[in-house]
Structures are given as structure tokens and as C-alpha cells.
Amino acid sequence: RGLLHEDNNNIDAAIKDFTKVIELAPNDYFGYYNRATLYNRKGNYTEAISDLNHIVAINQFILSSWL
């Protein structure tokens, strides 16, 4: 649904939906990535960087569990 909101240029609704995705699946990077791109579009660079940092942390956790 967040992607549909984004396609319709309803950025705030899309951010709200991806925030819900993150709440439901905090270890899945999909919600963080999409929300980061939306924050970037709005010029909210601090929030975008924060979400991107979460992606790095999640991927390091996943990678370390494979080693």
C-alpha cells in the first residue's frame, strides 16, 4: 500500500505505511529502505540517513549470523 501511495505522490501516507511495516517486521530492510527514499524526497535527510543506518545494522546482523 505504501508503494501505491508513493506512486500517487501521497508521500506522508506512504511514510506512515512504511513505518507500520517497520513496526511489524523490524529486521526487514524493505520498510526502512522505502521510508528512507521518501524522507529523502521530502528533504528530511536526517531521518533518511537514520533509516539507511538501520539497513546497514540489519545486514551486519544477518551476515554475522551466517558466519
Side-chain angles (χ1 to χ4, degrees):
R1 195 171 82 177
L3 294 173
L4 291 174
H5 285 306
E6 182 178 7
D7 287 344
N8 291 319
N9 208 30
N10 192 349
I11 304 303
D12 291 328
I15 288 172
K16 183 178 178 183
D17 282 351
F18 286 120
T19 299
K20 187 64 174 178
V21 168
I22 292 165
E23 290 172 5
L24 295 172
N27 291 324
D28 187 353
Y29 73 91
F30 177 79
Y32 287 106
Y33 175 79
N34 285 292
R35 191 173 71 173
T37 62
L38 294 165
Y39 280 144
N40 185 58
R41 283 178 60 182
K42 287 188 70 167
N44 296 344
Y45 304 118
T46 302
E47 291 89 346
I49 291 169
S50 177
D51 279 355
L52 294 173
N53 285 335
H54 275 89
I55 293 169
V56 171
I58 290 166
N59 285 333
Q60 286 178 348
F61 173 76
I62 292 169
L63 180 61
S64 67
S65 69
W66 282 81
L67 298 177

